[in-house]
Amino acid sequence: MSEQYQTEYESFDGVTSALRSAGFKILLVFSLLILVVIALAQPKNVYVALYFGISWFAFAVVGISLPHYRERLAKLWALMTMPVAPYLVISNGILPATLVPIAAIFPILLLSKGWRVSAMMVLACCTFLVPFYDGPYDKGLWLRLCVTNLVVSLLIYVLANQLEQALVESRKKTLELNRALESERQASAAQSRFLATMSHEIRTPLNGILGLTDVVLSHNISENARPNLEKIQRSGLSLNRILNDILDLSKLNAGKLSLERIPFDLKATAKDCVAFYAQLAQNKGISLRISVDKALNTCVVGDATRLSQVLNNLVSNAIKFTQKGSVTLGLDKGEASSTHQLVRFSVTDTGEGIDASEQERVFEAFTQANSSINRIHGGTGLGLQIVKSLVEAMGGTVYVKSAAGEGSEFYFELPFEVAKSVVAVKEKHKTPVFSNRTVLVAEDNDINQVVAKSLLEDTGLNVVLANNGKEAVQLAQNQHFDLILMDLHMPEMNGSEAAFILRQSNIDIPIIAFTAAVVSEEIEKALASGMNGYLTKPVNKTELYTVLMKHLGKETLADNSHVAKATYTE
């Protein structure tokens, strides 16, 4: 059976079933009405009249009680009604004939196709049998009833068929829409699984590249080798940013991206962005500046990570398309009250500029102003789409002012709640040192084992490695650990299963998901299994040290640490 034919069959069958269900309920009421009329009118042949009232009542009760037998009951009702209805009119005269227009509705509701037409014709023509009644009757009334019953029955039939057809079409569209939605849900689920798998498979070797590079750069090496290693590190970070853009675009399209509300410092966030791209700008011989309105209250509540992502994309884009001159990141105060303020962000460059006809297209996914841009500058074309979507998610709209050969300005305004105070702690080069602490690392990738072991041993921790979840469970059940870093994707037993077993065994050691999976469903599943938090790969030193200090306690700081604290108050 083709999908289209199946949809039409389900549509017709669904409407017929719904009409039949309503028909049996109305039949119940009508049968009670007949019994009341019999009690009041006292017809000549009361037994035939009672047959209709009682039998229809019984059919209605059984039809309502037994839905699966309604079609058979409806046909049985027609077989018992069609031969007896004419006899009822012949034996009782004009009184039952007056009820024919009402009774004509039941073939429409209970039956279909040939059964419906046959039953309606019998009921509609019963009025013509009144002359065979041996009692008195009004001939004028009879003639009017004949015409009325016939016309009304035909009208009921036509209107009911039109209504049924409309219901069938409506149900057909509903079924098609439901199937389309189900297909979309399945596609979305498949996309999520694909993203989870690809994220893990890409981030796993990327963690090895960045992690080992970071490990080597943190030790004494030849100054001739350092620049090349730093270029490898920057290339890895660029690849990681592209991967994050793809994942964020998927989350935004699925409506699954959530925003944080935490106090942070706007000026510090902007400075971090400029500092990150300072070397890139210097390599191109252009100046990278920051301009912050002195009247701006920089202590706000919002999502610092997403704002930083927007600014990073805009600054990176500006540097990419600027060959000489400058790039300026500006923060200006807009409308403000005692509790809220608008902040205008702008990134201005002296680069190539964008033709007016191309300015709308630059915010589309996978699109750049013209096809030659990708060949010259590279890029995925996702950056500005991410910017547009994130800015809109945060309550703003991004605009561009540009002209070919005259540079560009991308700007937007965002509303922020003013924070009472923000304490910013820059933890760059901050290395905690622990003693007499042991960490279990469950990781199946040998390169990532080396990265994790090196980073952790730099802090003075003892590290024990497990190659899969099953091995991690056995080690944790037989040896004391102060912390467990658990990968989620491992052979034999995954990280979530291992964490669940350990919690069932009353082992309350802090367990941190140490994973390349960044899809929210996987992380939520990990936390639900009993894990205390998560770290994503490629591993960020600052985030790793924060987790270590949270769960192991800060012992001391390495001699090369530099901690700068600044407090900003209203």
Side-chain angles (χ1 to χ4, degrees), residues 61 75 81 129 136 157 490:
V61 171
K75 291 179 179 178
T81 298
L129 300 176
Y157 178 77
M490 292 184 291

Side-chain angles (χ1 to χ4, degrees), residues 361-379:
R361 297 181 62 247
V362 297
F363 292 108
E364 297 175 7
F366 308 106
T367 301
Q368 291 175 322
N370 59 67
S371 58
S372 64
I373 286 177
N374 184 267
R375 294 193 298 270
I376 299 172
H377 300 286

Side-chain angles (χ1 to χ4, degrees), residues 460-482:
L461 290 167
N462 299 314
V463 180
V464 176
L465 299 174
N467 295 304
N468 54 63
K470 185 176 181 181
E471 189 177 327
V473 170
Q474 292 172 348
L475 286 168
Q477 288 175 338
N478 295 292
Q479 182 179 343
H480 171 74
F481 295 99
D482 297 287

Side-chain angles (χ1 to χ4, degrees), residues 503-539:
R503 294 307 185 217
Q504 291 293 101
S505 303
N506 296 320
I507 295 176
D508 58 358
I509 304 167
I511 304 175
I512 304 299
F514 191 55
T515 177
V518 292
V519 178
S520 58
E521 287 83 355
E522 291 207 18
I523 293 172
E524 288 168 5
K525 182 180 177 182
L527 296 176
S529 70
M531 294 190 180
N532 301 85
Y534 67 93
L535 284 168
T536 57
K537 301 171 187 172
V539 62

Side-chain angles (χ1 to χ4, degrees), residues 45-349:
N45 197 333
V46 69
Y47 296 108
V48 178
L50 284 173
Y51 165 82
F52 273 89
I54 294 172
S55 64
W56 286 17
F57 178 81
F59 275 113
V61 171
V62 176
I64 292 171
S65 305
L66 302 173
H68 296 295
Y69 295 95
R70 283 174 183 166
E71 184 177 0
R72 295 178 186 175
L73 284 168
K75 291 179 179 178
L76 183 59
W77 170 85
L79 290 173
M80 294 182 67
T81 298
M82 283 191 289
V84 181
Y87 179 70
L88 177 66
V89 175
I90 293 171
S91 61
N92 286 285
I94 204 164
L95 178 62
T98 60
L99 298 176
V100 168
I102 302 176
I105 193 67
F106 294 112
I108 296 292
L109 296 175
L110 299 177
L111 302 166
S112 61
K113 299 180 181 177
W115 285 87
R116 173 183 294 174
V117 176
S118 300
M120 279 202 67
M121 287 297 296
V122 169
L123 291 175
C125 293
C126 282
T127 310
F128 294 100
L129 300 176
V130 171
F132 293 97
Y133 173 58
D134 58 2
Y137 66 93
D138 186 328
K139 289 186 178 180
L141 176 62
W142 168 66
L143 288 173
R144 287 193 296 273
L145 274 176
C146 288
V147 175
T148 301
N149 288 355
L150 188 61
V151 171
V152 168
S153 296
L154 287 173
L155 285 175
I156 290 174
Y157 178 77
V158 172
L159 290 174
N161 274 345
Q162 292 292 326
L163 176 61
E164 184 180 45
Q165 189 62 37
L167 290 172
V168 168
E169 287 298 319
S170 176
R171 183 173 174 81
K172 179 181 175 182
K173 290 179 181 178
T174 301
L175 287 171
E176 290 174 348
L177 179 60
N178 288 339
R179 286 202 173 98
L181 289 173
E182 180 60 29
S183 298
E184 186 176 349
R185 280 193 290 267
Q186 291 176 359
S188 178
Q191 183 188 44
S192 295
R193 289 193 297 270
F194 173 78
L195 286 173
T197 302
M198 292 306 298
S199 170
H200 182 271
E201 295 305 313
I202 294 173
R203 286 175 185 274
T204 296
L206 186 58
N207 181 62
I209 294 169
L210 290 175
L212 290 175
T213 305
D214 201 28
V215 168
V216 174
L217 285 171
S218 65
H219 293 82
N220 293 326
I221 58 172
S222 165
E223 289 306 312
N224 291 329
R226 185 175 293 277
N228 291 330
L229 287 171
E230 289 175 344
K231 289 176 183 177
I232 292 173
Q233 188 180 49
R234 284 198 299 272
S235 297
L237 290 172
S238 296
L239 177 59
N240 188 45
R241 201 183 91 186
I242 293 171
L243 180 60
N244 287 336
D245 281 347
I246 294 171
L247 291 170
D248 284 343
L249 184 63
S250 174
K251 290 178 185 178
L252 285 162
N253 290 339
K256 294 182 177 180
L257 190 75
S258 57
L259 297 174
E260 293 182 330
R261 281 185 51 81
I262 57 174
F264 72 99
D265 181 60
L266 287 170
K267 188 174 182 180
T269 301
K271 281 186 173 181
D272 287 343
C273 173
V274 170
F276 185 81
Y277 289 102
Q279 186 63 50
L280 179 60
Q282 184 179 339
N283 292 343
K284 293 190 71 173
I286 60 178
S287 63
L288 179 56
R289 307 166 183 167
I290 182 170
S291 171
V292 181
D293 187 347
K294 293 182 179 179
L296 178 67
N297 190 334
T298 61
C299 305
V300 298
V301 176
D303 194 324
T305 301
R306 296 305 176 188
L307 176 61
S308 177
Q309 192 173 356
V310 169
L311 298 180
N312 283 342
N313 269 306
L314 290 177
V315 170
S316 171
N317 220 45
I319 294 173
K320 180 193 296 185
F321 294 104
T322 301
Q323 307 307 320
K324 61 180 180 179
S326 64
V327 173
T328 303
L329 171 59
L331 281 67
D332 295 287
K333 183 179 181 179
E335 295 182 9
S337 66
S338 58
T339 58
H340 292 78
Q341 67 178 345
L342 277 176
V343 181
R344 186 184 190 274
F345 298 88
S346 63
V347 175
T348 308
D349 64 66

